[in-house]
Amino acid sequence: MTFSVQHNRSPPEPILPDILAPNLQVVFCGSAASNVSAKRGAYYAHPQNRFWPIIYALGLTNRLLTPEEYTKLPEQGVGLTDMAKHHFGGDAVLPKNADDPAGLKARIARYSPKFLAFNGKRAAQVFFKHCFNSKQVSYGLQQETIGSTELFVLPSTSPAAVRYWDETPWRTLAQQMKNV
């Protein structure tokens, strides 16, 4: 006689929780929490990450927030998520099955922000390949949408991507947000 044991395992908790709500202006999506962010339990927590200074400089927040204040972003129309919710570390160390583009698409369809902005090309490339069968992604506003949500690709604010940093697409996003 054979017995089957079933375990009622709930899915693992994400490294960082999604910060999503209805009626957001923009949701920023990174690849995954960095080692520093995972350790501190806060988005974009590396001291050299440009995320918090750039969103403040663009007027997306009313003051310079600390990474630990990330839960205050929805009050200012901003949300956060990652492509890989259950893994952390640099892009090169993420397992091949770490990304969840279908889950991201479902979350964005549910909350319908005005913009989904990818903070870095890697997350955008994974998403566009899976959801739209697109192999090339460039910075800026994309042709594809998720319902009424417009999609935007930005240079990563990570210190590991410093050689690709250009705030011009970030400024363009802020301008596009004002025009909507």
Side-chain angles (χ1 to χ4, degrees), residues 16-136:
L16 295 172
D18 283 329
I19 303 301
L20 299 172
N23 302 315
L24 294 174
Q25 290 294 311
V26 62
V27 171
F28 291 102
C29 178
S31 286
S34 70
N35 292 336
V36 174
S37 290
K39 184 177 181 179
R40 287 178 56 184
Y43 281 89
Y44 305 108
H46 192 288
Q48 294 171 333
N49 195 299
R50 293 175 174 86
F51 180 77
W52 299 103
I54 191 67
I55 67 168
Y56 173 64
L58 297 175
L60 301 182
T61 59
N62 59 6
R63 66 179 177 83
L64 180 59
L65 298 172
T66 67
E68 287 75 18
E69 294 178 293
Y70 69 90
T71 59
K72 295 182 178 192
L73 284 174
E75 300 164 16
Q76 302 191 41
V78 177
L80 297 172
T81 190
D82 286 310
M83 179 65 69
K85 295 301 297 173
H86 303 286
H87 298 274
F88 65 92
D91 291 349
V93 301
L94 293 175
K96 289 187 189 256
N97 67 345
D99 297 313
D100 184 14
L104 172 63
K105 186 176 183 182
R107 292 190 306 272
I108 296 304
R110 177 180 177 202
Y111 288 101
S112 195
K114 292 202 179 4
F115 289 90
L116 169 62
F118 291 92
N119 186 352
K121 265 194 179 176
R122 193 202 75 83
Q125 288 170 327
V126 168
F127 183 82
F128 280 83
K129 182 177 181 184
H130 179 271
C131 296
F132 302 111
N133 202 28
S134 295
K135 293 187 171 115
Q136 292 296 322

Side-chain angles (χ1 to χ4, degrees), residues 50 139 154-156 161-171:
R50 293 175 174 86
Y139 292 125
L154 301 164
S156 175
V162 69
R163 69 180 181 264
Y164 302 110
W165 178 246
D166 177 5
E167 70 179 51
T168 305
W170 285 81
R171 293 195 176 281

